[in-house]
Structure formats: C-alpha cells, structure tokens
C-alpha cells in the first residue's frame, strides 16, 4: 500500500546494501512481505531487479532503485552502462 511506499524506498536505498530482497526489506521495516511486494509493483520501472542467492542457497530476486544503483556504480560501470544502452 502507499502508506509503506516511502519506507520501502528508504530500505531499497539503504547505503549498507546494493540490492535488497523482499524478506530483508520486510524484516528491516517490520511489515508484511505482501505489503513490500505491493510497493515494488507500484514502483515499477523505478526498480532494477536481479537474480540473487541467499546464505541458505535459495534463489531469490533482489531489488534496488535506479537512482541507488547509479549512485553505487563506479565510473567504469557507468561508462559501460552508457555504451550498452547506445548499442541497443
């Protein structure tokens, strides 16, 4: 729901993490995983998702905001991203 949107974005942009799982966000905020999932759907193309593996060796999806991803990229990563986007 929208009441959790600001908190979820804050958790996604937590400087201690590059990417976050639904479980991690829910645990940090103390809210249900379904509420986190609803906010992620609302955020849509503001998010970047990638496959990840937990410490328990489970395959999951990890998320971040495009803004947070860009702020954590090195100069080389930014250059490669620009070149990759121009190639498509």
């Amino acid at each position: 729901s929208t009441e959790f949107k600001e908190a979820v974005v804050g958790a996604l942009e937590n400087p201690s993490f590059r990417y976050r799982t639904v479980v991690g966000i829910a645990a940090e905020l103390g809210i249900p995983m379904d509420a986190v999932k609803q906010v992620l759907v609302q955020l849509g193309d503001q998010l970047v998702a990638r496959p990840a593996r937990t410490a328990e060796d489970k395959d999951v999806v990890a998320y971040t905001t495009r803004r947070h991803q860009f702020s954590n990229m090195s100069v080389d990563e930014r250059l490669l991203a620009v070149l990759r986007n121009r190639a498509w």
Side-chain angles (χ1 to χ4, degrees):
S1 85
T2 55
E3 67 186 277
F4 297 122
K5 188 174 181 179
E6 191 173 308
V8 170
V9 170
L12 286 165
E13 296 183 346
N14 180 333
S16 298
F17 303 95
R18 287 186 93 170
Y19 289 86
R20 302 297 306 272
T21 64
V22 171
V23 172
I25 294 167
E28 177 182 326
L29 300 177
I31 63 175
M33 288 193 304
D34 285 343
V36 174
K37 290 175 186 177
Q38 287 177 351
V39 172
L40 295 176
V41 168
Q42 291 172 8
L43 292 172
D45 65 357
Q46 295 174 51
L47 294 179
V48 176
R50 71 177 185 103
R53 190 164 291 232
T54 67
E56 296 81 29
D57 216 28
K58 290 177 61 178
D59 292 324
V60 295
V61 177
Y63 301 90
T64 192
T65 62
R66 292 191 183 282
R67 176 177 57 205
H68 188 61
Q69 181 189 43
F70 187 76
S71 70
N72 284 298
M73 288 177 141
S74 68
V75 174
D76 292 343
E77 289 171 322
R78 290 179 187 186
L79 179 59
L80 286 173
V82 168
L83 293 173
R84 206 174 18 243
N85 286 337
R86 289 188 178 180
W88 301 109

